[in-house]
Amino acid sequence: MASERDLFSTEIVNRGIESSGPNAGSLTFSVRVRRRLPDFLQSVNLKYVKLGYHYLINHGIYLFTIPVLLLVFSAEVGSLSKEELWKKLWEDARYDLATVLAFFGVFVFTLSVYFMSRPRPIYLIDFACYKPSDDLKVSREQFIELARKSGKFDEGSLEFQRRILMSSGIGDETYIPKAVIASSENCATMKEGRAEASMVMFGALDELFEKTRVRPKDVGVLVVNCSIFNPTPSLSAMIINHYKMRGNILSYNLGGMGCSAGIIAVDLARDVLQSNPNNYAVVVSTEMVGFNWYQGKERSMLIPNCFFRMGCSALLISNRRRDYSRAKYRLEHIVRTHKGADDRSFRCVYQEEDEQRLKGLKVSKDLIEIGGDALKANITTLGPLVLPFSEQLLFLATLVGRYLSGGKSAGNNASSSKKPYIPDYKLAFEHFCVHAASKTILDELQRNLELSEKNMEASTMTLHRFGNTSSSSIWYELSYLEAKERVRRGDRVWQLAFGSGFKCNSVVWRSMRRQKKPSRNPWLDCIDRYPVSLTQST
């Protein structure tokens, strides 16, 4: 078991020149102690490895019986000469028409059942990410200054938010509703929530319908996810009313499911499409920043103020086979992990009121550790589905060997601390879109999965440019990759998101063609400036 010391990391922070006091004019430094992600690849649970291989075992009958049948058939045919083979195929068969027809009928029936029972492929036709107007752009210094002028925070709260912002990895061009800090009134109202929802959702959907040339009335399934803001009528009803969608549309509204709900929404849309052939589904993922704004003094509830920013994504998904030629991506795998049965995981991100009855989102100090456990379970389940067989074999062999040696020599520290083989996920994916939660989490994920700066570039640059846009952040990251023209035909994209509950979800897409720079993209006006150095920007 890892010691308590292993769960923390230290960092020397330059505080600048002291302006007053006995040390005026001198450089000052402090040591920052942070919780880090547990080295979850050192403690992989065999239960999740078994769960991943369960998907493969379901198709084991095909993997084992087909080679045997081919072997038997080859042996039978190989023992015959050409004359004998021709005799069996033609001379014997022409006198037994019933046998030939029966064989042909069984073959056609088997082939029909196989193709009819296969799940329809799910295609991502296109997607859009909303880019707010420049008048909503706020730098970090402007954020603190406007917060001070609003009169909602004391000096201690302002200083705490300033320290978090400067080390967050967030840049100076993120977007915040003006009502949040420009007004002394309460901004967490239904009116302000609906105004923000209309702005971001309709903005993303207008762009999506324009890019895909699909009419709103052609959409048969609508899934909307927003964790904090859930009005009545629902957000999905707002969209249906605004675009005058058809009366038999299947609509769903997911609330309270955190930053990983975007993948849950895709999973739900996939399941609905499987039972409704030849249909379109639209998935909208967003979060209302203003409605979640906290105006009190509780430090753990001030953290979301520093990270969450405006954003929204809209996807058009299809199960129509004729959309194969124009689709951007094909859905390959979705793996969902939920740790809500554990009380600590359930309460690590919790909406409640503080002592002054002010509503906010409370973030536990154990979030990093809990997130690491969920990530460990998720990627261990995903591994058997995506990793090359050689990587799976090495990983499983060393993992089982480590458990066996640990069981035989309990108390042998050298055996129990032996490092297992770490699968190379770069062999399974060409592109990584990890939820842009914070710089600390992204750095720890990069270290644990042994990813390069290039692998993490889309995530870190999205955090810098747009901040944490909750469930839509993984789509801003894919937009970054497309704007850089890095996605080629056959490339696999891994989107990984995590959020309250505690949940960790993965979705894998395969590119259908080389993705050229799109005409509409939130990065187009600034992509030439990226990547930037986060060390300099913070």
Side-chain angles (χ1 to χ4, degrees):
M1 183 177 178
S3 64
E4 184 70 17
R5 183 178 59 185
D6 295 334
L7 298 178
F8 294 88
S9 63
T10 58
E11 176 186 359
I12 298 177
V13 180
N14 184 349
R15 294 298 184 189
I17 299 176
E18 189 72 25
S19 59
S20 60
N23 298 321
S26 302
L27 282 172
T28 58
F29 299 87
S30 63
V31 177
R32 177 180 294 154
V33 180
R34 289 175 168 169
R35 280 189 174 266
R36 66 193 302 177
L37 277 175
D39 196 356
F40 47 84
L41 290 172
Q42 298 289 330
S43 56
V44 176
N45 194 325
L46 278 174
K47 175 177 68 175
Y48 299 112
V49 178
K50 183 177 69 174
L51 184 60
Y53 280 101
H54 172 74
Y55 293 98
L56 298 180
I57 292 172
N58 284 340
H59 303 284
I61 186 171
Y62 303 109
L63 298 176
F64 287 104
T65 57
I66 291 176
V68 171
L69 291 174
L70 290 175
L71 185 63
V72 171
F73 178 77
S74 301
E76 179 69 21
V77 172
S79 65
L80 300 175
S81 64
K82 289 184 178 179
E83 292 77 11
E84 292 173 330
L85 182 60
W86 176 256
K87 182 180 179 180
K88 282 185 174 291
L89 290 177
W90 176 247
E91 294 183 1
D92 293 350
R94 65 180 180 178
Y95 297 112
D96 194 358
L97 184 60
T99 302
V100 174
L101 292 177
F103 175 81
F104 183 73
V106 169
F107 176 76
V108 171
F109 176 76
T110 304
L111 206 61
S112 301
V113 169
Y114 171 74
F115 281 106
M116 290 176 64
S117 62
R118 285 180 62 193
R120 283 177 170 266
I122 301 298
Y123 300 113
L124 174 62
I125 305 301
D126 210 335
F127 65 97
C129 295
Y130 176 67
K131 181 186 175 185
S133 59
D134 287 346
D135 63 319
L136 299 177
K137 192 180 293 184
V138 177
S139 70
R140 290 170 294 179
E141 291 298 336
Q142 288 174 330
F143 176 94
I144 297 300
E145 187 59 32
L146 289 171
R148 177 179 283 109
K149 289 181 179 179
S150 71
K152 299 174 184 177
F153 308 101
D154 58 23
E155 285 301 320
S157 299
L158 290 170
E159 177 60 23
F160 175 76
Q161 291 180 84
R162 189 190 70 80
R163 292 201 309 268
I164 293 292
L165 270 175
M166 294 306 172
S167 62
S168 64
I170 293 176
D172 291 326
E173 295 184 290
T174 59
Y175 303 93
I176 295 178
K178 289 297 184 185
V180 168
I181 46 184
S183 171
S184 59
E185 301 296 327
N186 178 24
C187 63
T189 63
M190 298 299 291
K191 179 181 178 181
E192 293 295 342
R194 283 193 174 94
E196 184 181 347
S198 299
M199 180 192 305
V200 298
M201 292 195 310
F202 301 157
L205 286 168
D206 286 346
E207 179 180 335
L208 179 69
F209 291 135
E210 179 183 339
K211 290 166 72 172
T212 59
R213 300 180 184 273
V214 170
R215 300 178 306 164
K217 286 186 178 295
D218 294 333
V219 176
V221 181
L222 173 65
V223 184
V224 181
N225 71 270
C226 180
S227 185
I228 298 298
F229 182 61
N230 290 286
T232 300
S234 65
L235 296 177
S236 60
M238 287 176 59
I239 293 173
I240 293 170
N241 175 261
H242 180 79
Y243 290 100
K244 309 305 177 187
M245 291 178 161
R246 65 197 201 195
N248 64 343
I249 189 171
L250 302 175
S251 66
Y252 303 87
N253 202 92
L254 306 181
M257 304 196 77
C259 299
S260 65
I263 296 177
I264 298 173
V266 172
D267 191 23
L268 175 59
R270 177 189 65 172
D271 291 344
V272 177
L273 284 176
Q274 292 296 356
S275 57
N276 292 271
N278 298 314
N279 233 318
Y280 284 123
V282 166
V283 176
V284 179
S285 300
T286 188
E287 192 58 76
M288 299 305 111
V289 176
F291 196 76
N292 190 43
W293 204 256
Y294 176 66
Q295 306 171 42
K297 302 177 181 179
E298 182 71 34
R299 297 292 174 88
S300 62
M301 301 173 79
L302 284 169
I303 294 175
N305 286 8
C306 303
F307 287 99
F308 285 104
R309 296 293 184 268
M310 292 178 69
C312 179
S313 64
L315 329 175
L316 181 66
I317 301 175
S318 170
N319 63 357
R320 307 191 315 170
R321 299 190 190 277
R322 58 181 175 273
D323 285 327
Y324 172 88
S325 58
R326 72 173 186 136
K328 278 191 169 185
Y329 303 92
R330 184 179 71 243
L331 179 62
E332 295 214 325
H333 303 290
I334 294 180
V335 174
R336 293 168 54 181
T337 301
H338 203 307
K339 308 291 282 187
D342 174 67
D343 290 340
R344 274 205 322 155
S345 299
F346 176 70
R347 297 188 67 90
C348 70
V349 181
Y350 203 82
Q351 188 181 24
E352 61 182 9
E353 294 88 10
D354 64 8
E355 295 179 353
Q356 283 75 42
R357 308 293 294 174
L358 294 173
K359 175 176 62 68
L361 204 62
K362 187 171 186 178
V363 179
S364 168
K365 63 181 180 180
D366 299 324
L367 175 63
I368 302 293
E369 180 184 351
I370 290 167
D373 290 336
L375 285 166
K376 174 184 67 176
N378 188 265
I379 67 172
T380 308
T381 305
L382 179 67
L385 301 177
V386 297
L387 288 170
F389 184 73
S390 58
E391 288 293 304
Q392 295 185 44
L393 191 62
L394 285 170
F395 172 66
L396 188 61
T398 54
L399 183 62
V400 172
R402 182 168 178 263
Y403 269 75
L404 292 176
S405 62
K408 291 179 180 179
S409 56
N412 187 340
N413 293 332
S415 174
S416 61
S417 62
K418 184 179 179 181
K419 187 175 182 179
Y421 178 76
I422 301 175
D424 188 358
Y425 281 88
K426 296 187 291 294
L427 296 176
F429 307 108
E430 284 74 32
H431 308 287
F432 298 79
C433 297
V434 181
H435 170 49
S438 72
K439 185 176 183 296
T440 302
I441 291 178
L442 292 179
D443 289 345
E444 289 297 322
L445 273 170
Q446 179 180 352
R447 180 183 65 84
N448 273 273
L449 295 179
E450 298 184 351
L451 301 178
S452 66
E453 295 288 341
K454 193 80 169 180
N455 296 143
M456 299 297 294
E457 183 181 315
S459 300
T460 53
M461 294 306 104
T462 295
L463 179 65
H464 180 271
R465 176 63 180 85
F466 292 98
N468 182 346
T469 59
S470 189
S471 56
S472 64
S473 69
I474 55 178
W475 296 104
Y476 284 87
E477 293 162 18
L478 189 53
S479 293
Y480 178 87
L481 295 171
E482 290 191 352
K484 286 286 187 181
E485 296 187 90
R486 292 180 182 171
V487 184
R488 301 184 181 277
R489 180 184 176 89
D491 283 359
R492 294 152 299 183
V493 180
W494 180 19
Q495 292 180 315
L496 175 67
F498 35 87
S500 60
F502 193 85
K503 299 180 288 293
C504 180
N505 302 317
S506 292
V507 59
V508 180
W509 303 92
R510 184 177 291 273
S511 177
M512 305 291 289
R513 61 178 185 270
R514 181 175 178 269
Q515 306 300 334
K516 298 180 180 180
K517 184 180 290 188
S519 58
R520 297 283 298 274
N521 186 293
W523 292 91
L524 291 184
D525 65 334
C526 62
I527 193 64
D528 295 335
R529 294 190 279 114
Y530 283 88
V532 299
S533 172
L534 294 187
T535 303
Q536 295 177 358
S537 63
T538 57

